[in-house]
Amino acid sequence: MIGKLTGIVDSVASDAAIIDVGGVGYVVHASGKTLARLGARGSAASLLIDTHVREDAISLYGFAETVERDWFRALLNVQGVGAKVALSILSVLAPDELARAVAAQDKAAVARANGVGPKLAQRVVSEMKDKAGGINLGAAMAAGSTVDAAPVNGADGPMNDAVSALVNLGYRRAEAYGAVAKVMQKEGAAAPLNDLILKGLKELSQ
């Protein structure tokens, strides 16, 4: 089972890249966002890998961040979502954006992905609701959980602090995350921490 590949970028296509590891080229399927972060041919690359083994094929799926891999795995548990659709969703929504869309039940955001219609988008946001906070606010949100990752969105700090404050008041993490996500949708990513907490409480009391 392959869990990580570190090598040289041989080529990048629209849905996959070939990573040369010691002279062996591995075809790694990935989201558009992960592929965009790979360098030009000859650049060093390191990707977390999810290996899928079937009778007729062995497929490798690559991720620049642990949180993206966690979302990929979670999406595969939704009826009607296969690896191709999961990568399509992650190509249009970064993990934090997907978590907020799920928490706010924003099926329109998920439906932007190729191959995702309104019914499937509704199923994704519904079935993933209780998992959004756990994935995005767990170990996957830690800076150390990335592989060659870009800086974490600046809004994540206040959001995490607001969610932690609500959890300390006795609310479940998934509920708190959903409430804060809704506040950020209304107020914007620059909303002050106090507003996130107070308005989050108001959302939870409704």
Side-chain angles (χ1 to χ4, degrees), residues 1 49-54 57-61 72-73 76 83:
M1 189 70 69
I49 300 295
D50 208 42
T51 305
H52 291 199
V53 180
R54 300 185 324 213
I58 298 176
S59 300
L60 305 181
Y61 299 93
F72 174 79
R73 291 173 173 174
L76 294 181

Side-chain angles (χ1 to χ4, degrees), residues 56-131:
D56 59 343
I58 298 176
S59 300
L60 305 181
Y61 299 93
F63 309 92
E65 301 176 347
T66 303
V67 65
E68 186 185 37
R69 185 187 62 186
D70 290 346
W71 272 104
F72 174 79
R73 291 173 173 174
L75 285 167
L76 294 181
N77 291 321
V78 177
Q79 182 182 358
V81 176
K84 184 176 180 179
V85 170
L87 289 180
S88 179
I89 292 172
L90 291 167
S91 291
V92 299
L93 293 171
D96 60 333
E97 295 170 330
L98 178 55
R100 291 169 193 166
V102 170
Q105 295 293 279
D106 184 1
K107 65 178 182 180
V110 178
R112 289 165 41 207
N114 290 333
V116 179
K119 290 184 179 179
L120 183 54
Q122 180 61 62
R123 192 180 304 136
V124 168
V125 297
S126 296
E127 294 187 20
M128 297 294 295
K129 185 174 183 179
D130 290 337
K131 301 177 183 179

Side-chain angles (χ1 to χ4, degrees), residues 114-191:
N114 290 333
V116 179
K119 290 184 179 179
L120 183 54
Q122 180 61 62
R123 192 180 304 136
V124 168
V125 297
S126 296
E127 294 187 20
M128 297 294 295
K129 185 174 183 179
D130 290 337
K131 301 177 183 179
I135 295 174
N136 220 48
L137 295 172
M141 284 298 293
S145 67
T146 63
V147 177
D148 191 27
V152 175
N153 188 320
D156 289 333
M159 170 177 270
N160 288 344
D161 291 343
V163 171
S164 294
L166 295 177
V167 169
N168 289 337
L169 291 175
Y171 293 98
R172 291 191 302 115
R173 188 169 292 276
E175 291 177 334
Y177 189 91
V180 175
K182 288 180 180 178
V183 173
M184 291 191 73
Q185 275 197 331
K186 296 176 183 177
E187 305 294 326

